[in-house]
Amino acid sequence: VTVCGSWSSWMDHYKLGKSGDDFDGVIDLPVGKHQFKFIIDGNWTTSSQWPITYDKDGQANNVIDVAAPRYANGVPLRKFH
């Protein structure tokens, strides 16, 4: 499984690692709203686990909104799950 998105003009494909039944990975994304899709066995698909939006051609894509980092006393605040 790979993921590809608007943050790289849909050019870069990032391979996700398998973790049990899930796939995961870390991609350093710029601040802003980005559309993306997963590629599974050559088929481009969206995930029901992420919000969906439509591009100018009416194609469904997942979307992520990356916020600017927040700082406290010069140290970036991070949210841990």
Side-chain angles (χ1 to χ4, degrees):
V1 173
T2 60
V3 64
C4 186
S6 60
W7 57 81
S8 68
S9 299
W10 301 92
M11 299 300 292
D12 297 332
H13 295 233
Y14 298 90
K15 185 172 179 152
L16 302 177
K18 186 159 173 104
S19 176
D21 291 336
D22 298 323
F23 290 87
D24 60 21
V26 176
I27 304 170
D28 188 17
L29 299 178
V31 172
K33 194 173 278 194
H34 306 285
Q35 296 184 30
F36 63 97
K37 277 192 171 172
F38 297 94
I39 305 166
I40 303 170
D41 297 327
N43 297 310
W44 292 64
T45 187
T46 57
S47 169
S48 61
Q49 296 179 347
W50 290 88
I52 292 179
T53 190
Y54 294 87
D55 66 16
K56 62 181 174 55
D57 298 319
Q59 296 293 316
N61 296 307
N62 288 119
V63 64
I64 186 170
D65 193 357
V66 180
R70 296 182 344 172
Y71 292 86
N73 298 322
V75 177
L77 298 175
R78 298 186 184 262
K79 181 178 180 181
F80 292 94
H81 298 266

